[in-house]
Amino acid sequence: QVQLVESGGGLVQSGGSLRLSCTASGRLFSIRSMGWYRQAPGQQRDLVAHFTRGGSTNYADSVKGRFSISRDKADNTVYLRMNSLRPEDTAVYYCHADDSLSGEDYWGQGTQVTVSS
């Protein structure tokens, strides 16, 4: 089992910045990827950014150049720095990890990000 605890969401004006944090605990040795998804009202949950097991990163086209994912391996924490926020970035942001052995997906509780125009 893997537990994911997020923090850092909130309300920000268009053009502002936020940083989200996600700390993982539990059985971490078999995690294949870890990162962030988001879900706006009435929309599907989509990838924002993540680390692969090999350490490379992937970003959604809509956030490239504005968002940056980083991690602190010592603390098992992944961060999402979000700059130049836009109203369309408003969503619940979920931390995600998947297990390479079981194939299981793990999700955090979600943190709301609201960008006002």
Side-chain angles (χ1 to χ4, degrees):
Q1 289 287 328
V2 174
Q3 295 78 43
L4 303 172
V5 178
E6 303 140 341
S7 62
L11 172 65
V12 64
Q13 288 187 332
S14 182
S17 299
L18 284 173
R19 190 181 78 158
L20 307 182
S21 301
C22 173
T23 299
S25 60
R27 192 179 73 182
L28 304 179
F29 68 92
S30 58
I31 285 181
R32 176 168 49 203
S33 68
M34 186 171 172
W36 296 91
Y37 284 68
R38 68 184 181 187
Q39 187 168 22
Q43 303 294 318
Q44 66 181 20
R45 192 173 296 187
D46 292 324
L47 174 71
V48 177
H50 76 155
F51 280 102
T52 66
R53 188 175 180 87
S56 61
T57 56
N58 292 310
Y59 291 90
D61 288 342
S62 60
V63 306
K64 284 180 181 177
R66 300 187 297 123
F67 290 13
S68 177
I69 191 170
S70 61
R71 62 185 175 182
D72 184 335
K73 287 186 176 181
D75 290 339
N76 299 314
T77 299
V78 172
Y79 302 96
L80 184 68
R81 178 67 180 182
M82 306 184 291
N83 296 325
S84 302
L85 282 161
R86 305 167 180 167
E88 53 264 40
D89 294 318
T90 295
V92 178
Y93 284 69
Y94 295 92
C95 185
H96 169 264
D98 65 341
D99 190 313
S100 61
L101 296 180
S102 68
E104 191 167 359
D105 288 298
Y106 298 99
W107 297 95
Q109 77 279 8
T111 185
Q112 176 71 45
V113 171
T114 302
V115 184
S116 63
S117 57

